[in-house]
Amino acid sequence: MAQAKSGSDRMEKIVSLCKRRGFVFQSSEIYGGLNGCWDYGPLGTELKRNLKDFWWRRMVRERDDVVGMDGSILMNRQVWVASGHENTFTDPMVDCRNCKSRLRADQLPEKNGRKQCPVCGSFDLTEPRAFNLMFKTYVGATEDESAITYLRPETAQAIFVQFRNILEVSRKKLPFGIAQIGKAFRNEINPRNFTFRSREFEQMELEYFCRPENGLELLEYWLQERLRFYRDIGLSSESLHVHKIPPEECAHYSKGTYDIEFEFPFGIQELEGVAYRTDYDLNQHQKASGKPLDYFDEESKQHFIPHVVEPSAGVDRTALALISAAYDEEVVTDEKGKSETRTVLRFHPRMAPIKCGVFPLLKNNELLVRQAREIVDQLRGEMMVFHDETGAIGRRYRRQDEAGTPFGVTVDFDTIGENGPALRDTVTVRHRDSMEQERIAIKELTAFLGERIR
Ligand code: GAP
């Protein structure tokens, strides 16, 4: 296996593959891009969709204690005042007086105990000052103070402010959760590492409400559940790390936080935070809005504010982790002894953007092409399929290897009965990782592939 030499070398190859194959493009590329913003192409969009669908399936549909919501991105400014974001959602920023770069004060390299500008090497830096990460905007036609609000920097707050409504309509009893997937925006001082730290990104968040006495136990439960999720989408246990945040570094209201981290090519970095946020958020919103956000316990006949455990994951970070983990290069030798490097994305089949490539052996044979088209029609309702009839079959396999397609179906002369009736109406199924092939009856294909991609 020809492993990429170093993390940065590997990362460069991943970024290049993402662009070449249509996973991720720079946003507004033809105008020079927009720093910290990315567009997902056809394969990247399917990958993200599979990830979000599987999260939703695991976190909402397979449970009877979680319901979903889909909140607006723009909310009343008072939400952000009450949550503390308007005053405290900041990063420390410095300016380099020499090259005018804006830098995150807590990420500066040091030389001989002095902070240094990573762009020009100067030590002439301003004092750190707090920079609010929320994007400010105006609602309506007047751009004055009363019209100010922000693009949401997390999806969680919509869940807290709708807690009462959702409790009433869902008629859930504690413990229960509200899940949401959606865009969030942060004006990061230093977006970096490709999509890892972006200014516009998507979150998958669950707020799991509980009795105060169950908070700590549920924190451990959700940590394990979330690790199981990552393993089930194809990230190995060895590549995942749990970092328990020391109490002095936790938010003042948190009684415990774990970061789930992944070994990216650029280092071990956070994928998800699992935090026990106590009753802080509901309390804040109850105080600020004057509206009750408590829970009535029918057994004890008492009212109280529920506590909450929050597993909060990033879609883009997880998609990048999936691509990083899947990326592989291997030297393969054909029957004539010719060697070449095969680039392959070894996605778990349930995450793979395209599940199956369908290939008529020859483009100019009408029977082969028609049969292949019929197979595409048969599979299309169940999964993402791709018909490819151009180029040598080996090249078509390689193209799908690079896209991470786990199965390739080839329609050949046996399929159409030209070599006798024995293999008529069967196709070869090629497995991406082993490159082994097996013969399957066309009528069994949907079930054969279906059980392997779910
Ligand atoms: N509601 C809690 C919350 O938002 P967070 O740790 O700030 O917590 C949760 O964010 C997750 O959102 C992170 O673990 C990460 O996966 C993702 N995320 C945060 N900032 C991001 C950024 N600038 N770019 C991409 N993903 C980001």
mmCIF file of all heavy atoms in Angstrom, residues 287-319:
data_model
loop_
_atom_site.group_PDB
_atom_site.id
_atom_site.type_symbol
_atom_site.label_atom_id
_atom_site.label_comp_id
_atom_site.label_asym_id
_atom_site.label_seq_id
_atom_site.Cartn_x
_atom_site.Cartn_y
_atom_site.Cartn_z
ATOM 1 N N LYS A 287 -36.074 33.385 31.901
ATOM 2 C CA LYS A 287 -35.874 34.684 32.572
ATOM 3 C C LYS A 287 -36.054 35.835 31.583
ATOM 4 O O LYS A 287 -36.752 36.800 31.849
ATOM 5 C CB LYS A 287 -34.455 34.751 33.159
ATOM 6 C CG LYS A 287 -34.388 34.256 34.603
ATOM 7 C CD LYS A 287 -33.043 34.596 35.224
ATOM 8 C CE LYS A 287 -32.086 33.425 35.128
ATOM 9 N NZ LYS A 287 -30.715 33.656 35.311
ATOM 10 N N ALA A 288 -35.420 35.703 30.403
ATOM 11 C CA ALA A 288 -35.409 36.821 29.458
ATOM 12 C C ALA A 288 -36.769 37.028 28.791
ATOM 13 O O ALA A 288 -37.161 38.165 28.528
ATOM 14 C CB ALA A 288 -34.326 36.604 28.407
ATOM 15 N N SER A 289 -37.483 35.949 28.517
ATOM 16 C CA SER A 289 -38.755 36.093 27.779
ATOM 17 C C SER A 289 -39.931 36.280 28.727
ATOM 18 O O SER A 289 -41.001 36.735 28.316
ATOM 19 C CB SER A 289 -39.012 34.844 26.926
ATOM 20 O OG SER A 289 -39.245 33.731 27.777
ATOM 21 N N GLY A 290 -39.746 35.852 29.977
ATOM 22 C CA GLY A 290 -40.865 35.909 30.921
ATOM 23 C C GLY A 290 -41.889 34.816 30.670
ATOM 24 O O GLY A 290 -42.952 34.790 31.282
ATOM 25 N N LYS A 291 -41.593 33.891 29.763
ATOM 26 C CA LYS A 291 -42.530 32.792 29.442
ATOM 27 C C LYS A 291 -42.046 31.509 30.138
ATOM 28 O O LYS A 291 -40.832 31.244 30.163
ATOM 29 C CB LYS A 291 -42.569 32.541 27.931
ATOM 30 C CG LYS A 291 -42.984 33.752 27.120
ATOM 31 C CD LYS A 291 -44.473 33.931 27.173
ATOM 32 C CE LYS A 291 -45.030 35.166 26.517
ATOM 33 N NZ LYS A 291 -44.205 36.182 25.965
ATOM 34 N N PRO A 292 -42.987 30.738 30.689
ATOM 35 C CA PRO A 292 -42.559 29.538 31.410
ATOM 36 C C PRO A 292 -41.961 28.481 30.461
ATOM 37 O O PRO A 292 -42.532 28.185 29.413
ATOM 38 C CB PRO A 292 -43.855 29.021 32.046
ATOM 39 C CG PRO A 292 -44.946 29.605 31.225
ATOM 40 C CD PRO A 292 -44.445 30.896 30.659
ATOM 41 N N LEU A 293 -40.820 27.956 30.831
ATOM 42 C CA LEU A 293 -40.200 26.880 30.046
ATOM 43 C C LEU A 293 -39.934 25.687 30.961
ATOM 44 O O LEU A 293 -38.945 24.979 30.821
ATOM 45 C CB LEU A 293 -38.894 27.372 29.400
ATOM 46 C CG LEU A 293 -39.062 28.441 28.315
ATOM 47 C CD1 LEU A 293 -37.711 28.931 27.799
ATOM 48 C CD2 LEU A 293 -39.885 27.916 27.133
ATOM 49 N N ASP A 294 -40.852 25.499 31.908
ATOM 50 C CA ASP A 294 -40.643 24.419 32.856
ATOM 51 C C ASP A 294 -41.421 23.170 32.436
ATOM 52 O O ASP A 294 -42.143 23.177 31.442
ATOM 53 C CB ASP A 294 -41.045 24.863 34.271
ATOM 54 C CG ASP A 294 -42.504 25.307 34.314
ATOM 55 O OD1 ASP A 294 -43.100 25.516 33.223
ATOM 56 O OD2 ASP A 294 -43.055 25.449 35.410
ATOM 57 N N TYR A 295 -41.267 22.146 33.228
ATOM 58 C CA TYR A 295 -41.894 20.848 32.962
ATOM 59 C C TYR A 295 -42.712 20.485 34.196
ATOM 60 O O TYR A 295 -42.256 20.689 35.330
ATOM 61 C CB TYR A 295 -40.770 19.827 32.732
ATOM 62 C CG TYR A 295 -41.239 18.408 32.520
ATOM 63 C CD1 TYR A 295 -41.654 17.966 31.269
ATOM 64 C CD2 TYR A 295 -41.237 17.497 33.586
ATOM 65 C CE1 TYR A 295 -42.066 16.653 31.076
ATOM 66 C CE2 TYR A 295 -41.650 16.189 33.390
ATOM 67 C CZ TYR A 295 -42.061 15.771 32.150
ATOM 68 O OH TYR A 295 -42.461 14.477 31.958
ATOM 69 N N PHE A 296 -43.896 19.963 33.961
ATOM 70 C CA PHE A 296 -44.721 19.546 35.098
ATOM 71 C C PHE A 296 -44.645 18.029 35.246
ATOM 72 O O PHE A 296 -45.007 17.287 34.336
ATOM 73 C CB PHE A 296 -46.174 19.995 34.902
ATOM 74 C CG PHE A 296 -47.067 19.552 36.018
ATOM 75 C CD1 PHE A 296 -46.855 20.030 37.327
ATOM 76 C CD2 PHE A 296 -48.099 18.651 35.801
ATOM 77 C CE1 PHE A 296 -47.671 19.611 38.370
ATOM 78 C CE2 PHE A 296 -48.919 18.225 36.845
ATOM 79 C CZ PHE A 296 -48.692 18.707 38.129
ATOM 80 N N ASP A 297 -44.154 17.615 36.391
ATOM 81 C CA ASP A 297 -44.012 16.189 36.634
ATOM 82 C C ASP A 297 -45.284 15.672 37.297
ATOM 83 O O ASP A 297 -45.589 16.035 38.443
ATOM 84 C CB ASP A 297 -42.792 15.966 37.534
ATOM 85 C CG ASP A 297 -42.579 14.482 37.780
ATOM 86 O OD1 ASP A 297 -42.992 13.684 36.922
ATOM 87 O OD2 ASP A 297 -42.018 14.144 38.839
ATOM 88 N N GLU A 298 -46.032 14.832 36.560
ATOM 89 C CA GLU A 298 -47.339 14.405 37.066
ATOM 90 C C GLU A 298 -47.237 13.540 38.318
ATOM 91 O O GLU A 298 -48.119 13.575 39.171
ATOM 92 C CB GLU A 298 -48.114 13.677 35.972
ATOM 93 C CG GLU A 298 -48.851 14.663 35.085
ATOM 94 C CD GLU A 298 -49.200 14.107 33.723
ATOM 95 O OE1 GLU A 298 -49.185 12.885 33.570
ATOM 96 O OE2 GLU A 298 -49.453 14.914 32.822
ATOM 97 N N GLU A 299 -46.153 12.790 38.425
ATOM 98 C CA GLU A 299 -46.006 11.922 39.606
ATOM 99 C C GLU A 299 -45.811 12.728 40.882
ATOM 100 O O GLU A 299 -46.543 12.573 41.853
ATOM 101 C CB GLU A 299 -44.806 10.996 39.433
ATOM 102 C CG GLU A 299 -45.191 9.655 38.854
ATOM 103 C CD GLU A 299 -43.979 8.836 38.508
ATOM 104 O OE1 GLU A 299 -43.050 8.772 39.334
ATOM 105 O OE2 GLU A 299 -43.948 8.283 37.392
ATOM 106 N N SER A 300 -44.811 13.626 40.828
ATOM 107 C CA SER A 300 -44.494 14.382 42.061
ATOM 108 C C SER A 300 -45.289 15.680 42.150
ATOM 109 O O SER A 300 -45.216 16.383 43.153
ATOM 110 C CB SER A 300 -43.004 14.692 42.113
ATOM 111 O OG SER A 300 -42.680 15.556 41.035
ATOM 112 N N LYS A 301 -46.044 15.978 41.080
ATOM 113 C CA LYS A 301 -46.838 17.224 40.998
ATOM 114 C C LYS A 301 -45.950 18.465 41.175
ATOM 115 O O LYS A 301 -46.339 19.440 41.809
ATOM 116 C CB LYS A 301 -47.972 17.259 42.059
ATOM 117 C CG LYS A 301 -48.876 16.064 42.062
ATOM 118 C CD LYS A 301 -49.904 16.137 40.946
ATOM 119 C CE LYS A 301 -50.810 14.922 40.896
ATOM 120 N NZ LYS A 301 -50.881 14.260 39.596
ATOM 121 N N GLN A 302 -44.744 18.378 40.633
ATOM 122 C CA GLN A 302 -43.826 19.519 40.765
ATOM 123 C C GLN A 302 -43.456 20.091 39.413
ATOM 124 O O GLN A 302 -43.388 19.359 38.420
ATOM 125 C CB GLN A 302 -42.551 19.071 41.472
ATOM 126 C CG GLN A 302 -42.759 18.956 42.968
ATOM 127 C CD GLN A 302 -41.478 18.593 43.684
ATOM 128 O OE1 GLN A 302 -40.563 18.047 43.077
ATOM 129 N NE2 GLN A 302 -41.427 18.898 44.958
ATOM 130 N N HIS A 303 -43.196 21.394 39.411
ATOM 131 C CA HIS A 303 -42.690 22.063 38.215
ATOM 132 C C HIS A 303 -41.186 22.226 38.355
ATOM 133 O O HIS A 303 -40.717 22.618 39.419
ATOM 134 C CB HIS A 303 -43.299 23.468 38.090
ATOM 135 C CG HIS A 303 -44.754 23.466 37.733
ATOM 136 N ND1 HIS A 303 -45.195 23.551 36.442
ATOM 137 C CD2 HIS A 303 -45.860 23.376 38.513
ATOM 138 C CE1 HIS A 303 -46.517 23.528 36.436
ATOM 139 N NE2 HIS A 303 -46.941 23.423 37.691
ATOM 140 N N PHE A 304 -40.432 21.943 37.314
ATOM 141 C CA PHE A 304 -38.992 22.248 37.347
ATOM 142 C C PHE A 304 -38.472 22.445 35.926
ATOM 143 O O PHE A 304 -39.114 22.036 34.950
ATOM 144 C CB PHE A 304 -38.199 21.150 38.077
ATOM 145 C CG PHE A 304 -38.243 19.792 37.403
ATOM 146 C CD1 PHE A 304 -37.256 19.405 36.508
ATOM 147 C CD2 PHE A 304 -39.295 18.906 37.681
ATOM 148 C CE1 PHE A 304 -37.295 18.162 35.900
ATOM 149 C CE2 PHE A 304 -39.343 17.662 37.075
ATOM 150 C CZ PHE A 304 -38.339 17.285 36.179
ATOM 151 N N ILE A 305 -37.316 23.077 35.825
ATOM 152 C CA ILE A 305 -36.681 23.279 34.510
ATOM 153 C C ILE A 305 -35.829 22.045 34.216
ATOM 154 O O ILE A 305 -34.933 21.714 35.011
ATOM 155 C CB ILE A 305 -35.769 24.526 34.520
ATOM 156 C CG1 ILE A 305 -36.560 25.757 34.932
ATOM 157 C CG2 ILE A 305 -35.044 24.694 33.192
ATOM 158 C CD1 ILE A 305 -37.042 26.639 33.832
ATOM 159 N N PRO A 306 -36.083 21.360 33.115
ATOM 160 C CA PRO A 306 -35.283 20.168 32.817
ATOM 161 C C PRO A 306 -33.814 20.508 32.567
ATOM 162 O O PRO A 306 -33.493 21.623 32.167
ATOM 163 C CB PRO A 306 -35.912 19.628 31.526
ATOM 164 C CG PRO A 306 -37.248 20.254 31.436
ATOM 165 C CD PRO A 306 -37.142 21.578 32.116
ATOM 166 N N HIS A 307 -32.977 19.546 32.822
ATOM 167 C CA HIS A 307 -31.570 19.657 32.429
ATOM 168 C C HIS A 307 -31.424 19.114 31.012
ATOM 169 O O HIS A 307 -32.347 18.477 30.484
ATOM 170 C CB HIS A 307 -30.694 18.873 33.402
ATOM 171 C CG HIS A 307 -30.422 19.648 34.657
ATOM 172 N ND1 HIS A 307 -29.229 19.579 35.326
ATOM 173 C CD2 HIS A 307 -31.195 20.530 35.341
ATOM 174 C CE1 HIS A 307 -29.265 20.370 36.384
ATOM 175 N NE2 HIS A 307 -30.458 20.965 36.421
ATOM 176 N N VAL A 308 -30.251 19.366 30.407
ATOM 177 C CA VAL A 308 -30.104 18.918 29.021
ATOM 178 C C VAL A 308 -28.688 18.396 28.742
ATOM 179 O O VAL A 308 -27.700 18.939 29.242
ATOM 180 C CB VAL A 308 -30.501 20.066 28.039
ATOM 181 C CG1 VAL A 308 -29.484 21.178 28.009
ATOM 182 C CG2 VAL A 308 -30.728 19.545 26.636
ATOM 183 N N VAL A 309 -28.659 17.298 27.975
ATOM 184 C CA VAL A 309 -27.385 16.771 27.468
ATOM 185 C C VAL A 309 -27.406 16.973 25.962
ATOM 186 O O VAL A 309 -28.403 16.647 25.306
ATOM 187 C CB VAL A 309 -27.209 15.281 27.818
ATOM 188 C CG1 VAL A 309 -25.951 14.718 27.169
ATOM 189 C CG2 VAL A 309 -27.151 15.102 29.330
ATOM 190 N N GLU A 310 -26.324 17.514 25.427
ATOM 191 C CA GLU A 310 -26.305 17.914 24.020
ATOM 192 C C GLU A 310 -25.162 17.274 23.231
ATOM 193 O O GLU A 310 -24.015 17.671 23.367
ATOM 194 C CB GLU A 310 -26.137 19.436 23.936
ATOM 195 C CG GLU A 310 -25.993 19.948 22.514
ATOM 196 C CD GLU A 310 -25.431 21.360 22.474
ATOM 197 O OE1 GLU A 310 -24.250 21.557 22.846
ATOM 198 O OE2 GLU A 310 -26.180 22.266 22.090
ATOM 199 N N PRO A 311 -25.474 16.286 22.390
ATOM 200 C CA PRO A 311 -24.473 15.850 21.413
ATOM 201 C C PRO A 311 -24.588 16.735 20.171
ATOM 202 O O PRO A 311 -25.642 16.792 19.545
ATOM 203 C CB PRO A 311 -24.881 14.405 21.082
ATOM 204 C CG PRO A 311 -26.067 14.090 21.951
ATOM 205 C CD PRO A 311 -26.658 15.390 22.402
ATOM 206 N N SER A 312 -23.509 17.443 19.842
ATOM 207 C CA SER A 312 -23.550 18.422 18.755
ATOM 208 C C SER A 312 -22.448 18.124 17.740
ATOM 209 O O SER A 312 -21.260 18.267 18.039
ATOM 210 C CB SER A 312 -23.369 19.825 19.343
ATOM 211 O OG SER A 312 -23.171 20.765 18.318
ATOM 212 N N ALA A 313 -22.876 17.707 16.545
ATOM 213 C CA ALA A 313 -21.903 17.247 15.541
ATOM 214 C C ALA A 313 -21.899 18.168 14.332
ATOM 215 O O ALA A 313 -22.889 18.835 14.045
ATOM 216 C CB ALA A 313 -22.262 15.835 15.092
ATOM 217 N N GLY A 314 -20.793 18.186 13.606
ATOM 218 C CA GLY A 314 -20.693 18.978 12.387
ATOM 219 C C GLY A 314 -20.808 18.077 11.157
ATOM 220 O O GLY A 314 -20.111 17.066 11.067
ATOM 221 N N VAL A 315 -21.704 18.441 10.250
ATOM 222 C CA VAL A 315 -21.877 17.637 9.027
ATOM 223 C C VAL A 315 -20.608 17.703 8.180
ATOM 224 O O VAL A 315 -20.092 16.685 7.711
ATOM 225 C CB VAL A 315 -23.075 18.158 8.196
ATOM 226 C CG1 VAL A 315 -23.220 17.379 6.887
ATOM 227 C CG2 VAL A 315 -24.368 18.090 8.996
ATOM 228 N N ASP A 316 -20.102 18.925 8.001
ATOM 229 C CA ASP A 316 -18.955 19.108 7.087
ATOM 230 C C ASP A 316 -17.699 18.436 7.636
ATOM 231 O O ASP A 316 -16.940 17.811 6.905
ATOM 232 C CB ASP A 316 -18.714 20.600 6.865
ATOM 233 C CG ASP A 316 -20.004 21.295 6.499
ATOM 234 O OD1 ASP A 316 -20.822 21.577 7.411
ATOM 235 O OD2 ASP A 316 -20.225 21.518 5.314
ATOM 236 N N ARG A 317 -17.507 18.576 8.953
ATOM 237 C CA ARG A 317 -16.342 17.925 9.567
ATOM 238 C C ARG A 317 -16.440 16.417 9.449
ATOM 239 O O ARG A 317 -15.447 15.746 9.205
ATOM 240 C CB ARG A 317 -16.260 18.279 11.049
ATOM 241 C CG ARG A 317 -15.547 19.559 11.218
ATOM 242 C CD ARG A 317 -15.229 19.836 12.644
ATOM 243 N NE ARG A 317 -14.908 21.250 12.717
ATOM 244 C CZ ARG A 317 -14.622 21.888 13.810
ATOM 245 N NH1 ARG A 317 -14.623 21.242 14.965
ATOM 246 N NH2 ARG A 317 -14.321 23.156 13.773
ATOM 247 N N THR A 318 -17.640 15.889 9.653
ATOM 248 C CA THR A 318 -17.774 14.432 9.579
ATOM 249 C C THR A 318 -17.598 13.972 8.134
ATOM 250 O O THR A 318 -16.970 12.935 7.885
ATOM 251 C CB THR A 318 -19.131 13.983 10.153
ATOM 252 O OG1 THR A 318 -19.298 14.599 11.424
ATOM 253 C CG2 THR A 318 -19.186 12.478 10.322
ATOM 254 N N ALA A 319 -18.128 14.754 7.183
ATOM 255 C CA ALA A 319 -17.933 14.393 5.766
ATOM 256 C C ALA A 319 -16.439 14.391 5.433
ATOM 257 O O ALA A 319 -15.944 13.487 4.748
ATOM 258 C CB ALA A 319 -18.688 15.367 4.869
#
